Amino acid sequence: MAPPNDPPKPLFVKLGFNSSEKYLNLSNGNLNVKDFPVLSDVPRNVTFSPFSSICKYSDAPVSVLQRVQAHSHKGGFLGFKSQEESDRLMNSLGRFSGRDFLSIFRFKTWWSTQWVGASGSDLQMETQWVLLDVPEIRSHVIIIPIIDGSFRSALHPGKDGHVMICAESGSTRVKASKFDAIAYVHVSDNPYNIMKEAYSALRVHLNTFRLLEEKQVPSLVDKFGWCTWDAFYLTVEPAGIWHGVKEFANGGLSPRFLIIDDGWQSINRDDEDPNQDSKNLVLGGEQMTARLHRLNEGEKFRKYKRGSLLSPKAPSFDPNKPKMLIAKAIELEHANKNRDKAIQSGVNDLSEYDSKIKKLQGELEQLFGEESSSSSSANEGCGSCSCKDKDYGLKALTRDLRTKFKNLDDIWVWHALCGAWGGVRPGTTHLNSKIAHCKVSPGLDGTMNDLAVVKIVEGGIGLVHPSQAHDFYNSMHSSLAESGITGVKVDVIHTLEYVSEDYGGRVQLAKAYYNGLSDSLVNNFNGTGIICSMQQCNDFFFVGTHQISMGRVGDDFWFQDPNGDPNGVYWLQGVHMIHCSYNSLWMGQFIQPDWDMFQSDHCCAKFHAGSRAICGGPVYVSDSVGGHNFDLLKQLVYSDGTIPKCQYFALPTRDCLFKNPLFDHKTILKIWNFNKYGGVIGAFNCQGAGWDGKELRIKGYPECFKPVSGSVHVTDIEWDQKAEAAHMGEAEEYIVYLNQAEKLLFMTPKSDAIQITIQPSSFELFSFVPIKKLGPGIKFAPIGLINMFNCGGTIRELEFFESGADVSVKIEAKGEGNFLAYSSEPPKKCFLNGAEVSFEWSSEGKLTLNLPWIEEAGGISDVAILF
């Protein structure tokens, strides 16, 4: 039974700890694990407290409490005391060197990624956790900076191998000098168990968030969808959305969810008419100083008239128009950047630059003018600010979409945590909004230059007073729900840390906002209708995930390098996969990892598709109208818009954890996951780019963009990480199917590994299926529909029957195409949905038959194989 959407009022239980065994202690300046020093030269002002001495009560469910109590001897808290109070304190926790570590750090305000090294000085600023490899005691140790009172913390590099912890409140009015539990330390012999055990312990300690296992996830998790962002950017409008969904349906793939991204809201800038929407916005960046001036849809959506696009005489839509607008806007953006560079270079005569900019602005306005003059009757409706007529606006559009496209289960919209990028414009709504000037934490000085940060700092944020957070979100969301919207993508989440000075600091401000957001989700979107984005910082996870159960684990999909490297179209895609896979190690404890959208006609679309097939989350694209690769998408998605989803979320294999799969010239990224009747490993060549700690940016390493060799073994799959999969890890023999090479191989736990070489921006998927011994001399293993990337995910049920000499196998599979199984002997007969059918069997054991898509059965076929 799934957890409830709306959890009951928490009941705090007093904890009891029976074990006297303790794995960690602090003595003589060393932090010891099983009497082995992991950190040395620990300052005298640092304290260590066993978990049981700090944590006394919790509202966690019994199953979590029992797990935490069973492992409480493995963990404890670090604190420190300073001589003076401050709103930002830095202190060493000790030092280490010559020891491999894996860490996650923020490379932008919003985004985190993987980093490896061998010393405390190798850490990057704003590190969210560090995992140390301690082979001397066959263990791993994790240090997690956490929240203590009104302070949050992060790890920073120190000199001579020291690990620094930075505790900050985000307000000069909130100061402290002493912390008892500012970081948590945990030890385990399993790097995957350590994540579950450590974050479970913090859930019990903090009582401010819930684990993923305690929550329901959005219904779209096993579905296919379309997001409008890369298709339109800010030019999104009803006709474009309609024709976009229609193209998918005509192509044989019905999206089950639609995300209307940025561009639908009522926004304007402070120097514009407070009652009118900003005009002619195209690219991300142009809207980042704008604010909401109404809480409902913008004029181009508000004017939509019900039935306009259902009519036989529905207006046409030119799919080239958004592309032309985007191309012209990019050209204008480059012209402005060139002008800025000229100024920085000391050029005095800017007339040539200004002339070009003026010319491009005119051409862009002309394109918009043509669009306006030929605008469809779909947008000739009511533009009134207060009109709530069901025949107009967003409500009319969602009704028409659902009338035409019956499989469209969910329609979601985008909004920023503070409403719009620039918040809510003061005086335009019933809310008490005030322009808050932004102050960026010194810890972010070590992160990448970011246009979004520049723009937000430039304009400040129209911050709704935290006492009105509940009213703010409920006002927005109730109106959306009434209009047929079933969920929201909440973006730009970590802006709150910039504006917390007057509101009790970043932790207290965040709690007020996230509590309001959580309550609104329960009231309006079934408690689950949200994807969070631009949220990859520990504040959010520790105080914002009580209700939120899905979020992005990577940076945005970039179809090209925004900084102009032409090879970025390739290397950025591997960077994205590293973000997603390594972030899932910790974020997957809180939320269902979402690997973001991609474009199916991109030059690296297949590379992305291979990872999405086994990521364990939803599959969605941001294709332009007219820009689809349906042959590729049909290897990912069933025709009814559902997907053969894995049972877990994809994680890096052990032999990748302390390596650099981006620019070490040698490491293949390998990720593992489970299907119901087998496991899967994806091997991806992501080499060619990565973080440069000196230049403070992600850049290309072209010398690494080359074929890489490695190995794959069935023991790379962590079978014990899901109880339902554990028995599959005990099989004596496996059949292995290589999806791209279309090969069948045999493997046992003692076999040599499969040797592979992967080309740049390429991959291979390995399906491992336990071989079942049936009767005298018969071995069998179902592989699934091999025209799908995740072939093992197409098998829904599997049963074996033995009665005397008669042996049979019953399989329930979903999908259409070529079904493959390994069978050591040819069957006597095969039946499909009760009727005998022909099949092919070869001496190497390949058994194949064709499965049709039967709409009435939901694409499910019953296969019976008799021996």
Side-chain angles (χ1 to χ4, degrees):
M1 183 177 179
N5 293 338
D6 186 7
K9 190 174 182 179
L11 176 66
F12 285 83
V13 176
K14 187 174 183 178
L15 302 179
F17 302 94
N18 299 319
S19 175
S20 60
E21 182 183 23
K22 297 289 185 291
Y23 277 16
L24 298 105
N25 68 76
L26 179 60
S27 63
N28 299 319
N30 292 327
L31 178 65
N32 301 305
V33 177
K34 299 179 183 179
D35 297 323
F36 184 86
V38 174
L39 294 179
S40 61
D41 295 336
V42 178
R44 291 184 177 182
N45 69 333
V46 173
T47 60
F48 175 78
S49 303
F51 182 86
S52 56
S53 69
I54 294 286
C55 190
K56 301 296 185 182
Y57 294 90
S58 181
D59 64 349
V62 172
S63 60
V64 176
L65 288 174
Q66 290 176 339
R67 179 166 71 240
V68 170
Q69 288 171 330
H71 297 287
S72 61
H73 61 289
K74 300 180 182 180
F77 297 93
L78 294 173
F80 71 88
K81 185 176 181 179
S82 177
Q83 292 184 346
E84 295 184 3
E85 285 191 336
S86 177
D87 61 300
R88 188 172 189 269
L89 301 101
M90 188 83 75
N91 204 90
S92 171
L93 295 178
R95 62 183 295 271
F96 75 89
S97 61
R99 182 167 305 287
D100 289 343
F101 74 75
L102 166 67
S103 67
I104 292 290
F105 76 100
R106 282 204 287 173
F107 68 93
K108 289 186 178 181
T109 297
W110 346 91
W111 305 120
S112 294
T113 195
Q114 170 254 33
W115 187 251
V116 294
S119 160
S121 298
D122 293 337
L123 291 168
Q124 298 298 300
M125 294 176 72
E126 277 295 312
T127 290
Q128 311 291 288
W129 53 262
V130 59
L131 179 70
L132 305 177
D133 187 22
V134 193
E136 296 90 341
I137 53 174
R138 297 181 179 180
S139 292
H140 300 88
V141 176
I142 191 168
I143 304 172
I144 307 174
I146 61 172
I147 285 170
D148 193 344
S150 294
F151 282 69
R152 62 78 66 170
S153 62
L155 301 179
H156 289 220
K159 295 181 179 179
D160 301 321
H162 276 269
V163 179
M164 308 300 293
I165 190 162
C166 176
E168 57 187 341
S169 70
S171 173
T172 56
R173 305 174 188 180
V174 181
K175 299 181 179 182
S177 62
K178 182 177 181 292
F179 304 98
D180 294 323
I182 197 64
Y184 180 68
V185 187
H186 196 89
V187 58
S188 175
D189 60 1
N190 184 307
Y192 304 97
N193 289 348
I194 203 171
M195 292 294 172
K196 184 178 293 185
E197 292 171 9
Y199 285 102
S200 295
L202 292 174
R203 187 267 179 259
V204 167
H205 166 60
L206 292 171
N207 295 302
T208 53
F209 68 90
R210 291 190 296 159
L211 299 168
L212 175 60
E213 67 189 72
E214 300 177 64
K215 298 175 285 195
Q216 276 192 335
V217 297
S219 60
L220 52 73
V221 70
D222 59 355
K223 297 174 182 176
F224 169 68
W226 180 50
C227 176
T228 63
W229 179 241
D230 289 304
F232 304 106
Y233 296 129
L234 302 173
T235 70
V236 62
E237 44 85 26
I241 293 171
W242 180 274
H243 286 274
V245 178
K246 182 180 178 183
E247 274 195 356
F248 282 108
N250 291 344
L253 290 177
S254 300
R256 299 298 285 265
F257 66 91
L258 164 68
I259 300 175
I260 303 174
D261 213 294
D262 197 359
W264 68 274
Q265 294 175 297
S266 299
I267 62 170
N268 56 35
R269 302 185 185 93
D270 292 346
D271 60 352
E272 295 178 320
D273 185 332
N275 298 312
Q276 297 293 321
D277 294 346
S278 293
K279 306 296 184 184
N280 299 354
L281 300 180
V282 182
L283 300 179
E286 298 174 18
Q287 84 287 32
M288 289 177 180
T289 56
R291 318 187 199 281
L292 284 183
H293 64 95
R294 280 195 302 269
L295 301 184
N296 58 358
E297 66 267 37
E299 183 179 12
K300 57 186 174 180
F301 281 83
R302 201 166 57 250
K303 293 174 71 172
Y304 177 77
K305 183 178 181 181
R306 186 177 180 184
S308 300
L309 291 164
L310 287 172
S311 168
K313 297 181 179 180
S316 60
F317 173 75
D318 181 3
N320 291 318
K321 182 56 70 69
K323 297 173 184 177
M324 292 167 62
L325 288 168
I326 290 168
K328 187 60 65 177
I330 290 174
E331 196 177 351
L332 177 58
E333 182 181 62
H334 288 168
N336 279 301
K337 286 182 178 179
N338 290 335
R339 185 182 189 276
D340 292 340
K341 289 178 182 177
I343 293 173
Q344 293 169 7
S345 300
V347 175
N348 293 320
D349 184 3
L350 300 173
S351 57
E352 183 178 344
Y353 296 95
D354 292 335
S355 176
K356 184 172 183 179
I357 289 170
K358 184 176 180 180
K359 175 177 179 291
L360 291 171
Q361 286 174 333
E363 290 171 353
L364 184 63
E365 289 173 6
Q366 184 178 3
L367 280 172
F368 271 112
E370 292 172 1
E371 182 182 51
S372 175
S373 63
S374 61
S375 62
S376 70
S377 59
N379 290 338
E380 292 179 358
C382 177
S384 166
C385 298
S386 58
C387 179
K388 295 185 178 180
D389 192 321
K390 66 181 180 181
D391 289 333
Y392 293 95
L394 196 56
K395 180 185 287 188
L397 177 62
T398 61
R399 287 188 178 187
D400 283 357
L401 284 167
R402 289 191 171 98
T403 297
K404 176 67 174 179
F405 308 107
K406 303 297 185 184
N407 282 346
L408 190 57
D409 299 324
D410 286 288
I411 303 174
W412 290 21
V413 296
W414 176 100
H415 72 75
L417 183 70
C418 294
W421 287 84
V424 177
R425 187 168 178 176
T428 59
T429 71
H430 70 284
L431 299 164
N432 177 17
S433 170
K434 176 184 175 182
I435 303 299
H437 298 289
C438 298
K439 179 183 177 182
V440 180
S441 165
L444 292 173
D445 289 342
T447 61
M448 189 171 172
N449 183 48
D450 186 2
L451 172 66
V453 176
V454 172
K455 288 291 187 180
I456 290 170
V457 170
E458 173 189 322
I461 297 171
L463 190 70
V464 172
H465 195 277
S467 65
Q468 287 189 309
H470 285 76
D471 184 9
F472 172 40
Y473 291 118
N474 194 63
S475 295
M476 271 201 302
H477 293 166
S478 61
S479 174
L480 289 169
E482 186 181 349
S483 296
I485 300 300
T486 54
V488 285
K489 172 184 173 182
V490 179
D491 213 350
V492 207
I493 281 180
H494 248 276
T495 46
L496 290 180
E497 68 177 274
Y498 298 161
V499 292
S500 57
E501 171 67 26
D502 298 331
Y503 301 99
R506 60 193 288 173
V507 173
Q508 299 308 320
L509 178 60
K511 283 181 178 179
Y513 263 69
Y514 295 141
N515 287 342
L517 177 60
S518 294
D519 286 349
S520 182
L521 291 175
V522 172
N523 293 336
N524 298 293
F525 300 132
N526 198 36
T528 63
I530 185 171
I531 293 174
C532 52
S533 179
M534 298 176 72
Q535 87 296 354
Q536 294 169 9
C537 181
N538 55 5
D539 310 38
F540 167 79
F541 289 98
F542 289 140
V543 301
T545 57
H546 187 267
Q547 191 66 36
I548 294 170
S549 61
M550 179 179 281
R552 289 267 303 281
V553 289
D555 188 2
D556 292 334
F557 160 75
W558 290 97
F559 69 90
Q560 64 182 9
D561 178 22
N563 296 312
D565 184 344
N567 292 319
V569 69
Y570 299 103
W571 58 250
L572 272 167
Q573 317 317 320
V575 171
H576 182 92
M577 290 180 195
I578 297 300
H579 297 336
C580 292
S581 53
Y582 286 86
N583 274 327
S584 293
L585 284 163
W586 69 297
M587 296 181 190
Q589 309 305 319
F590 302 83
I591 56 172
Q592 167 66 48
D594 166 28
W595 282 48
D596 196 23
M597 58 212 172
F598 68 102
Q599 289 184 305
S600 71
D601 65 345
H602 188 269
C603 60
C604 291
K606 191 174 184 180
F607 192 48
H608 277 283
S611 68
R612 300 310 192 278
I614 64 169
C615 73
V619 172
Y620 57 116
V621 294
S622 192
D623 289 356
S624 299
V625 179
H628 314 290
N629 183 341
F630 285 113
D631 289 339
L632 178 70
L633 290 174
K634 288 175 182 179
Q635 296 176 68
L636 273 173
V637 184
Y638 297 129
S639 60
D640 67 353
T642 61
I643 59 175
K645 189 179 84 71
C646 284
Q647 304 278 300
Y648 199 56
F649 47 88
L651 294 173
T653 57
R654 285 190 193 221
D655 56 352
C656 290
L657 290 179
F658 299 97
K659 302 292 178 61
N660 178 0
L662 281 174
F663 57 96
D664 70 357
H665 299 265
K666 60 185 179 181
T667 301
I668 294 172
L669 171 68
K670 295 188 297 183
I671 55 177
W672 58 268
N673 210 331
F674 307 122
N675 288 308
K676 192 171 183 180
Y677 297 104
V680 61
I681 291 175
F684 297 84
N685 184 347
C686 299
Q687 294 280 334
W691 177 253
D692 186 311
K694 294 181 179 179
E695 296 184 20
L696 300 181
R697 68 185 182 100
I698 291 174
K699 69 175 188 179
Y701 289 87
E703 67 275 14
C704 300
F705 194 72
K706 62 183 183 180
V708 182
S709 297
S711 63
V712 173
H713 200 277
V714 66
T715 54
D716 290 337
I717 300 173
E718 301 290 330
W719 299 99
D720 64 347
Q721 291 303 300
K722 189 173 178 63
E724 297 86 345
H727 71 281
M728 293 189 288
E730 299 170 358
E732 295 179 3
E733 191 174 14
Y734 299 84
I735 197 74
V736 188
Y737 181 70
L738 283 64
N739 180 272
Q740 296 299 289
E742 300 182 355
K743 286 184 180 179
L744 271 186
L745 301 173
F746 294 90
M747 176 168 276
T748 73
K750 296 181 180 180
S751 295
D752 291 338
I754 302 168
Q755 300 301 311
I756 56 172
T757 297
I758 308 290
Q759 297 299 314
S761 300
S762 299
F763 69 99
E764 182 60 271
L765 299 178
F766 300 80
S767 293
F768 294 84
V769 186
I771 294 175
K772 177 77 171 179
K773 294 180 180 178
L774 299 169
I778 300 174
K779 295 181 178 181
F780 186 88
I783 295 162
L785 287 163
I786 58 174
N787 49 290
M788 304 294 284
F789 285 120
N790 184 26
C791 52
T794 64
I795 301 173
R796 296 164 60 96
E797 299 294 340
L798 174 64
E799 293 181 273
F800 299 99
F801 300 93
E802 297 185 62
S803 178
D806 295 329
V807 175
S808 63
V809 182
K810 183 179 179 181
I811 301 166
E812 182 184 288
K814 182 169 181 176
E816 176 183 11
N818 192 19
F819 179 86
L820 175 65
Y822 166 72
S823 179
S824 62
E825 298 294 329
K828 294 178 181 177
K829 295 180 179 180
C830 288
F831 291 86
L832 176 61
N833 299 320
E836 186 174 351
V837 293
S838 60
F839 61 87
E840 293 182 8
W841 181 85
S842 63
S843 57
E844 63 266 30
K846 287 186 177 181
L847 172 64
T848 60
L849 61 156
N850 188 64
L851 302 187
W853 180 274
I854 300 174
E855 189 66 35
E856 296 75 16
I860 296 172
S861 296
D862 291 319
V863 178
I865 302 169
L866 279 60
F867 294 94

